[in-house]
Amino acid sequence: MLTCPVKEYSGFDCPGCGFQRSLEQLLQGHIWESVLLFPALIPFFVTLVLLLLHLRFRFKNGAKWLVTMYVITAVILVANYTFKLLNGSI
Amino acid sequence: MENNPPYPPNSGNPYQNPQGNPYQQNPYQQGFGGQRDLSNATAILVLGIISIVTAFCYGIPGIGCGIAALIMGNKAKKEYEANPSMYTESSWNNAKAGRICGIIGLILGGLMLLVVVLYFIFVLSMFGAIAGGMAN
């Protein structure tokens, strides 16, 4: 696994920390463990797949859906990081 | 007798298609009425979306993608607003969406960079204080 440069030099988690562990869990089929480690992973992949499908098939409201999914991903990321900060787990 | 055609050049000749041969259309033209895609609409959208994943490695790649999406998005906005009927609506929607995502990615990346910079300033000042204390 790649080491997070922020964590390596500062010792605290960055908001993207947990991504690779979460992906590993998801690839092993452990969906709930993946959500617990990094809740924004699945919405992010949904956004990516939607982006590829939209670029290929040009859905009528594809751009709006993409922005919606993007905002959901960003909100989950920020909320998760805030929770981890307040929880003292980083 | 003069040899001129009975009509002025390029006006009113019913056999001359002003748009050229309809079977040799510009490959960049899509849709109806000769509308074409905004240049870079796809690139703006892709950059805007990936700005969020890259926003956390000290914020720098995310800031780069966000700024690129924002600058290209603003250029596309100017192009579209100067001549809205010339471009396809779907490409305009893509450019708008990419611009919004780019702005969000830029904000997140900027916050991340700010936190990291503040942290390192704090650590360095602590080191400075300790070193100063030891020197006294």
Side-chain angles (χ1 to χ4, degrees):
Chain A
M1 278 197 213
L2 296 167
T3 316
C4 169
V6 175
K7 188 160 187 170
E8 197 178 350
Y9 290 108
S10 68
F12 64 84
D13 278 17
C14 81
C17 281
F19 186 89
Q20 292 179 95
R21 280 169 283 154
S22 175
L23 181 62
E24 196 183 15
Q25 291 294 329
L26 190 66
L27 290 176
Q28 288 171 5
H30 306 143
I31 294 173
W32 183 239
E33 284 78 359
S34 159
V35 171
L36 288 179
L37 272 167
F38 196 75
L41 182 80
I42 293 172
F44 174 66
F45 276 136
V46 172
T47 315
L48 271 192
V49 170
L50 189 62
L51 173 69
L52 294 175
L53 290 175
H54 175 59
L55 290 179
R56 177 73 185 82
F57 298 108
R58 290 175 169 244
F59 301 127
K60 198 181 167 204
N61 289 320
K64 276 183 195 164
W65 279 106
L66 271 172
V67 174
T68 312
M69 279 311 300
Y70 184 91
V71 171
I72 290 174
T73 311
V75 167
I76 293 176
L77 257 173
V78 173
N80 177 45
Y81 194 63
T82 314
F83 177 74
K84 274 160 85 178
L85 272 177
L86 297 176
N87 200 17
S89 60
I90 48 176
Chain B
M1 188 179 164
E2 286 184 19
N3 219 0
N4 284 343
Y7 42 80
N10 292 332
S11 66
N13 177 1
Y15 302 107
Q16 189 178 8
N17 184 350
Q19 307 243 326
N21 184 346
Y23 298 105
Q24 287 180 345
Q25 281 189 341
N26 181 345
Y28 295 102
Q29 285 186 345
Q30 291 188 5
F32 299 102
Q35 284 187 328
R36 62 190 176 92
D37 285 351
L38 274 165
S39 55
N40 299 331
T42 305
I44 297 166
L45 189 61
V46 173
L47 278 171
I49 300 274
I50 61 167
S51 68
I52 199 167
V53 250
T54 52
F56 302 117
C57 194
Y58 292 110
I60 295 164
I63 291 175
C65 290
I67 289 177
L70 191 58
I71 291 174
M72 286 158 74
N74 284 343
K75 203 174 144 227
K77 196 179 169 198
K78 265 187 204 157
E79 270 178 41
Y80 181 81
E81 282 173 352
N83 206 343
S85 58
M86 212 173 131
Y87 300 103
T88 53
E89 205 184 338
S90 66
S91 72
W92 167 233
N93 287 338
N94 285 354
K96 267 195 298 189
R99 197 168 154 269
I100 295 169
C101 296
I103 292 171
I104 299 174
L106 185 60
I107 293 171
L108 289 176
L111 280 175
M112 186 65 211
L113 186 65
L114 186 72
V115 168
V116 170
V117 167
L118 286 177
Y119 176 80
F120 281 111
I121 289 175
F122 172 73
V123 169
L124 286 177
S125 64
M126 288 294 282
F127 269 123
I130 293 168
M134 283 168 78
N136 286 331

